[in-house]
Amino acid sequence: MTLIVQKYGGTSVADPDRMRAVADHIAFTRSHGSDVVAVVSAMGKSTDNLIKLANEVSSVHPGREMDMLLTTGERVSMSLLCMALADRGVPAMSFTGSQVGIITDTSHGKAKILEVRGDRLRDALAEGRVCVVAGFQGVSTAKEITTLGRGGSDTTAVAIAAALDADACEIYTDVPGVLTTDPRKVADAQLMQQVSCDEMLELASLGAAVLHPRAVEIARNYGVPLVVGSSWTDE
Ligand code: ADP
Ligand code: ASP
Ligand code: MG
């Protein structure tokens, strides 16, 4: 059985229609004989909105409390996606980063993954379930909830793919793939069919949001095959 890790970014789960489309895509992948672990981001701009809310409430933002706040966005997505999958007769189970044993260092807001245990994912997959994991988060060696930095759901997906030795890690986003430059800023940006890890690391480090730099590093270090594509099936 092949195992595919699929990551759906914020725009890909931004509203109920998009959420249902993601559930359809996961059901389709599963019907073609693959086990699926789906990693989800918070819906649309909800992480930005939570930060705005914190700013409105207080000028003091302790890292621990910001991480407790911001990780809620991904929890909304994971549970709704499981409900949409249940609607399609697909058995699915949601997990926080902590529940799947994503162990990080103690740097709130920019924690580094030290280890992915993944036992609960292996068990749920063996029971025939789709696993839906909240991106961007883990639990620290001090047992506190942490976040991996903005855009960190990519890193969650690649780290899980490495830990479970997945056949591929697919990153679904709002552009058709990696382009020569940001298509929102440069009209004639060209789609790149293949990008080396070093080239991608350079693009990501220069701010190409399409992949989080840590995700590219993990993909390179563990040889995870990464595919970036649009979650809109007509693109
Ligand atoms: P998601 O919410 O799916 O994680 P992001 O906003 O984090 O999406 O990343 C996708 C965005 O990355 C695109 O909308 C695009 O504007 C931007 N981007 C910047 N540089 C590039 C690039 N070289 N190739 C593709 N997209 C890029
Ligand atoms: N929701 C988080 C963010 O907006 C993580 C992610 O989307 O990858 O940065
Ligand atoms: Mg992103």
Side-chain angles (χ1 to χ4, degrees):
M1 190 83 147
T2 54
L3 171 64
I4 312 282
V5 176
Q6 297 182 335
K7 180 258 173 176
Y8 294 94
T11 48
S12 304
V13 291
D15 58 41
D17 282 345
R18 296 298 312 151
M19 193 70 82
R20 283 192 291 265
V22 166
D24 283 338
H25 191 252
I26 292 171
F28 174 83
T29 307
R30 201 165 168 271
S31 71
H32 282 71
S34 291
D35 280 341
V36 180
V37 174
V39 174
V40 284
S41 290
M43 295 173 75
K45 299 264 168 239
S46 54
T47 306
D48 291 335
N49 292 338
L50 289 169
I51 293 171
K52 219 159 85 193
L53 193 57
N55 288 331
E56 281 167 16
V57 167
S58 175
S59 59
V60 184
H61 303 129
R64 179 184 189 278
E65 304 312 329
M66 280 308 283
D67 281 354
M68 291 296 250
L69 177 68
L70 298 191
T71 49
T72 62
E74 273 68 14
R75 288 177 74 137
V76 171
S77 299
M78 72 178 192
S79 44
L80 290 175
L81 181 55
C82 282
M83 292 178 203
L85 285 163
D87 219 11
R88 284 150 184 77
V90 176
M93 201 168 175
S94 65
F95 297 94
T96 63
S98 163
Q99 285 175 314
V100 296
I102 297 180
I103 314 297
T104 73
D105 66 16
T106 56
S107 310
H108 285 291
K110 50 174 172 22
K112 202 171 161 199
I113 297 177
L114 303 174
E115 183 191 353
V116 177
R117 298 204 174 127
D119 299 338
R120 293 196 65 182
L121 296 179
R122 287 185 198 90
D123 291 348
L125 290 170
E127 288 164 1
R129 294 180 207 274
V130 166
C131 297
V132 180
V133 180
F136 169 62
Q137 57 182 269
V139 61
S140 76
T141 47
K143 298 190 170 60
E144 297 290 359
I145 299 299
T146 49
T147 59
L148 309 178
R150 297 302 306 268
S153 297
D154 298 330
T155 306
T156 304
V158 179
I160 287 176
L164 299 183
D165 197 19
D167 296 278
C169 181
E170 301 172 346
I171 306 284
Y172 289 102
T173 184
D174 58 356
V175 286
V178 178
L179 290 96
T180 45
T181 182
D182 189 341
R184 295 193 195 289
K185 295 191 183 138
V186 178
D188 67 348
Q190 303 295 308
L191 187 64
M192 296 163 88
Q193 293 303 330
Q194 286 230 329
V195 194
S196 72
C197 281
D198 286 343
E199 220 176 337
M200 190 59 236
L201 202 51
E202 197 176 325
L203 277 173
S205 308
L206 292 171
V210 68
L211 279 176
H212 194 258
R214 273 297 293 154
V216 184
E217 267 172 23
I218 296 172
R220 182 187 58 186
N221 295 349
Y222 291 87
V224 177
L226 259 187
V227 183
V228 179
S230 168
S231 63
W232 279 255
T233 42
D234 53 348
E235 276 184 39

